[in-house]
Amino acid sequence: MALQCAPALAAAEAKAEAEKVQVPSLDLRAGQPLPLLGHWFAAAPGAKTAARAPAIVLLHGCGGAYGRKGELSERMQDYSHTLNAEGWHVLVLDSLTPRGERELCTQKIGTRAITMTERRRDALGALQWLAARPDVDASRLALLGWSNGGSTVLASTNLKHTEVKAAPLRPRAAAAFYPGCEADQKRGYAPTAPLLMLTGAADDWTPAAPCEALAREAQPSSGIAPPKSVSYAGAFHGFDAKTPVRLRADVPNGVKPGAGVHVGGQTEALAQSRIALLDFLREQLREPLRTQP
């Protein structure tokens, strides 16, 4: 299995320059769409890339899209390069700095400066921005998020949200790494697209159980496969990182509020989840819709 994942991991080592772009959110400020900062990784021309290629929106977690030195985080760069190698465009969306925030992880849920409503509007706005590009196949768009960004994926693909039901554009596929699933599980989840959730069985920040319940209890949507939840034994939050597991005592949320949460990578879960993600996206984005001109 590790050997199967090797080409994708090797592709992530390639150097690629991102173009900074401005992406209008559906979140309005003074009657105008809030301009978000995006990092556009165009798929390199080649055998895998058609004139109009699929595109994937990457939605960061509560820590934001950047590393300590202000560069795009290793995770965002890694996945962007890997997805580019598949012939897909990538848009890394920054929901925090345009609103004057650097991180949300140390803010208690319910008092966070940026809400899930705002993040959902960002994701829906990004889909519209992508669909308007001449190099993007608007019938093959996907959302991919981590943690708080994974929750954004759920909130952006749930027909129980009025904005989602009214949206003129829906993704072809959605994937979420260790999302917080409780809110949409309790609300009831009716998918607008096939959904893959990848969770850690030992996650004490955003536990796997609500995601498994969401997958079991999801309401059927015409022509859309039921959501799927895959859990990795012994894996903590952030299992797809290459850093060791550590306790984050500064996080007030989690299974035991005030006790901190564990975050860090697990080699097996990283490799297996990468295979699962790519297999899922390849299947969902394989063919353009026949209605696409």
Side-chain angles (χ1 to χ4, degrees):
M1 188 170 291
L3 290 176
Q4 292 176 349
C5 195
L9 291 173
E13 300 300 326
K15 299 293 183 181
E17 291 293 331
E19 175 191 355
K20 290 185 178 180
V21 294
Q22 192 174 89
V23 180
S25 172
L26 298 189
D27 182 25
L28 302 181
R29 300 297 169 93
Q32 298 297 318
L34 176 69
L36 302 174
L37 174 60
H39 301 268
W40 174 249
F41 289 83
K48 290 186 177 181
T49 310
R52 294 201 294 180
I56 302 174
V57 183
L58 271 54
L59 300 164
H60 60 72
C62 63
Y66 307 106
R68 292 183 179 181
K69 296 181 180 180
E71 77 289 358
L72 273 180
S73 69
E74 181 179 356
R75 175 177 283 115
M76 292 294 107
Q77 294 190 53
D78 177 22
Y79 279 90
S80 294
H81 299 154
T82 298
L83 299 171
N84 273 173
E86 295 290 325
W88 304 327
H89 301 305
V90 175
L91 173 66
V92 178
L93 197 64
D94 176 5
S95 289
L96 300 193
T97 55
R99 295 183 171 94
E101 294 291 326
R102 296 187 63 181
E103 60 86 26
L104 305 175
C105 302
T106 60
Q107 301 175 19
K108 289 184 178 180
I109 293 176
T111 65
R112 284 180 168 175
I114 298 173
T115 68
M116 191 53 57
T117 296
E118 291 165 321
R119 294 217 63 189
R120 177 173 62 247
R121 291 171 179 172
D122 293 351
L124 295 176
L127 291 174
Q128 292 189 21
W129 182 85
L130 287 172
R133 289 185 63 100
D135 54 351
V136 169
D137 182 346
S139 76
R140 290 188 287 173
L141 304 179
L143 296 176
L144 171 58
W146 292 261
S147 193
N148 186 264
S151 299
T152 304
V153 170
L154 303 185
S156 303
T157 57
N158 187 357
L159 287 169
K160 293 294 185 177
H161 294 287
T162 303
E163 291 177 328
V164 174
K165 189 174 183 178
L169 189 67
R170 294 173 181 177
R172 183 81 164 267
F177 280 85
Y178 34 87
C181 292
E182 289 187 1
D184 279 285
Q185 186 260 328
K186 291 178 180 178
R187 178 185 294 269
Y189 185 77
T192 64
L195 170 68
L196 173 66
M197 295 175 286
L198 302 163
T199 65
D203 196 323
D204 56 2
W205 192 344
T206 54
C211 299
E212 294 166 351
L214 182 147
R216 288 194 307 270
E217 300 164 2
Q219 299 180 17
S221 296
S222 178
I224 297 174
K228 182 179 180 181
S229 181
V230 179
S231 182
Y232 298 101
F236 290 98
H237 200 84
F239 59 76
D240 60 329
K242 299 174 184 177
T243 53
V245 175
R246 64 187 179 94
L247 176 67
R248 283 200 58 174
D250 61 335
V251 174
N253 310 298
V255 174
K256 297 180 179 179
V261 297
H262 292 84
V263 179
Q266 187 201 80
T267 302
E268 292 180 357
L270 165 60
Q272 292 173 15
S273 65
R274 186 68 58 93
I275 292 169
L277 174 68
L278 291 177
D279 284 349
F280 171 74
L281 291 176
R282 287 168 184 155
E283 175 65 23
Q284 300 302 327
L285 302 178
R286 181 174 51 187
E287 299 291 340
L289 293 179
R290 292 184 180 180
T291 55
Q292 178 72 6

